[in-house]
Amino acid sequence: MNEKENEIIDPSQEQDDKDNTVSTEVSPESEADTVTSETEEESVDPTPTAGENEGTADEPEVVYRWSYAEQLAADRSEKASSRRRGVVTYAIVMTACFAVSFGILLAALFTGWDGPLSFGPVLGNSSNQNGSDRIIYVKDDYEGSGVLTEQEISTAGNPVVVGITVKTTLGGGVGTGIILTEDGYIATNSHVVNGAKSITVRLYNGQECTATLVGESEMDDLAVIKIQAKGLPTAKLGDSSKVLVGDRVTAIGHPAGLEFGWTATYGRLSAVNRMVKIRDNDGTMSKKMLLLQTDADVNSGNSGGPLFNDRGEVIGIITMKLAGDYEGLGFAIPISTAVPLLNALINNGTVADVQSQVSFARATLGVTGVYVEKEYFYVLTETGIARLTEEQAAQTEGSFRPGATGVLVTGTAPGTDAVGKFQQYDVITAIDGKAIDSFDAMREYLYDRFVGDTVTLTYDREGQSAQASVVLVKTE
């Protein structure tokens, strides 16, 4: 690329040049006047002819024509010439506009210009209404920036990815891992190696090694395994706190077993800081995880494998995908929040002393209860609560009719903030002012809260309404 191609075209300078060029041109009218003047000067005859002396010298000469055909032809010629000049002018203006736009595009793409481009005043709905320019930032995707092609990411990423084969009492499975250290520490998911009787690692060069479990955190779905090796290639870890929606990503793993090992899939980050609720088989939420979301295709064999950014850095550890009739909804543990946990597993075999920013335990009130309606009679049993008819209630010892509809308190958990604030048979009717119309509704409301949050409960006790503030506790 020569220096001329690296220049950024200045539209104002180009317009000045065009203006200067136009000002030096001679218009057709001026040119015609000049020719006529010269012709008249050359055709002066000092000898007067008949009729020339009639009238005064100042009277204009009258030209008589037998026909207007000659004039009409001249008029048509002038109009055609005017149209041609208009077409030429339009072509010149459009060519200049295209040249300016193309020049700016070339400058942004090939010269490494990572500054702002100004596109005039901000119009329409915008938070910037003070007449300043709209600023558009151009990513420094150019030679020397560190940005890699998909082929380069796969070439650099494959050697730091391993295949993991696990045998358990229930069978076995295949997952993926990431080489963290030259001497064989490998990161993966807890659900890949949990309950394993044996773990085998296959390196990119085909070598197979026996691995041991160093430590795992089921809550964070992270684990570290170890093989005996030296001089292994290691993954370059990125900064997941700086990623943005739309960033280009690559996943490498074993989506259908080792037969399809080191499969690379490509996509974009669809969301960052996505709070995902993990539920048990009965629908109860067990925890929440703060994850990256991607539309890169991932499947069960990708679990524990890397999610690379466009510089070949690991920004996430693939952990799950949304099941069911959905496509392009994969999730990864952000590497920046995973590193403290992985270090703890390597050094201590546990994450007990680390405050996790990956997973969050389900928050509870510290009370046990069951949903009741004030129109019915009930009796507490060893297995729960039973609803009775009025006749049954009259014959059943311990039967009662609640004073309100809501969650009936059957007990409080020792050591929680609820102790001493609630009694058996209190009925919680609202939480933070939101009426409780089912037990599931209250539970779902708490799923959006965190351990340590404070909620205000409205409850009924023997027909009297009252309120109490309770600090939410971790599920045991």
Side-chain angles (χ1 to χ4, degrees), residues 107-160:
L109 294 180
F110 298 109
T111 65
W113 181 30
D114 57 359
L117 294 179
S118 175
F119 286 84
V122 177
L123 301 176
N125 295 327
S126 173
S127 59
N128 186 1
Q129 298 292 341
N130 57 5
S132 61
D133 289 344
R134 183 186 299 276
I135 302 301
I136 300 177
Y137 291 95
V138 180
K139 189 172 183 179
D140 54 345
D141 191 354
Y142 59 92
E143 185 177 358
S145 69
V147 174
L148 306 178
T149 65
E150 280 80 1
Q151 293 83 357
E152 290 171 332
I153 292 172
S154 297
T155 300
N158 282 336
V160 305

Side-chain angles (χ1 to χ4, degrees), residues 35 61 179 227 231 276 283 299 357 407 411 437:
V35 173
E61 180 181 3
I179 301 176
I227 61 174
V276 180
N299 291 283
Q357 296 299 316
V407 174
D437 55 11

Side-chain angles (χ1 to χ4, degrees), residues 123-386:
L123 301 176
N125 295 327
S126 173
S127 59
N128 186 1
Q129 298 292 341
N130 57 5
S132 61
D133 289 344
R134 183 186 299 276
I135 302 301
I136 300 177
Y137 291 95
V138 180
K139 189 172 183 179
D140 54 345
D141 191 354
Y142 59 92
E143 185 177 358
S145 69
V147 174
L148 306 178
T149 65
E150 280 80 1
Q151 293 83 357
E152 290 171 332
I153 292 172
S154 297
T155 300
N158 282 336
V160 305
V161 178
V162 302
I164 300 175
T165 303
V166 174
K167 292 183 179 180
T168 67
T169 55
L170 299 177
V174 174
T176 306
I178 308 166
I179 301 176
L180 298 177
T181 66
E182 294 181 354
D183 58 347
Y185 283 97
I186 297 169
T188 188
N189 287 146
S190 172
H191 76 260
V192 171
V193 296
N194 186 255
K197 296 178 62 177
S198 67
I199 305 172
T200 302
V201 168
R202 179 179 292 181
L203 302 178
Y204 184 58
N205 62 10
Q207 181 182 356
E208 292 192 349
C209 310
T210 299
T212 57
L213 178 63
V214 176
E216 64 177 315
S217 171
E218 291 187 51
M219 190 70 177
D220 302 297
D221 198 22
L222 289 173
V224 173
I225 59 177
K226 177 75 165 60
I227 61 174
Q228 297 299 319
K230 292 182 179 180
L232 294 175
T234 60
K236 182 179 180 181
L237 306 184
D239 186 353
S240 59
S241 67
K242 295 181 179 179
V243 299
L244 299 172
V245 172
D247 281 357
R248 184 162 56 94
V249 292
T250 302
I252 297 180
H254 306 76
L258 295 181
E259 181 182 359
F260 296 94
W262 289 272
T263 293
T265 55
Y266 309 99
R268 302 277 178 174
L269 282 183
S270 307
V272 298
N273 298 324
R274 176 72 78 191
M275 191 65 73
V276 180
K277 298 174 183 177
I278 312 301
R279 298 177 183 267
D280 296 331
N281 292 333
D282 62 356
T284 302
M285 191 191 82
S286 59
K287 62 182 177 181
K288 292 183 288 188
M289 299 185 73
L290 196 61
L291 304 173
L292 301 175
Q293 180 182 325
T294 178
D295 64 355
D297 290 334
V298 295
N299 291 283
S300 58
N302 284 102
S303 293
L307 187 68
F308 293 100
N309 63 12
D310 58 5
R311 285 171 168 76
E313 302 166 336
V314 177
I315 57 168
I317 300 175
I318 301 296
T319 182
M320 69 182 76
K321 66 174 293 186
L322 194 61
D325 297 329
Y326 305 98
E327 295 296 336
L329 287 171
F331 300 92
I333 301 169
I335 196 64
S336 296
T337 53
V339 164
L341 300 168
L342 295 173
N343 284 333
L345 291 175
I346 291 173
N347 296 323
N348 307 316
T350 178
V351 296
D353 298 328
V354 180
Q355 180 64 47
S356 175
Q357 296 299 316
V358 172
S359 65
F360 304 88
R362 177 165 59 92
T364 64
L365 293 170
V367 301
T368 57
V370 63
Y371 185 74
V372 295
E373 296 175 276
K374 64 179 181 179
E375 292 83 6
Y376 300 99
F377 291 88
Y378 299 90
V379 64
L380 294 177
T381 67
E382 293 182 356
T383 58
I385 192 170

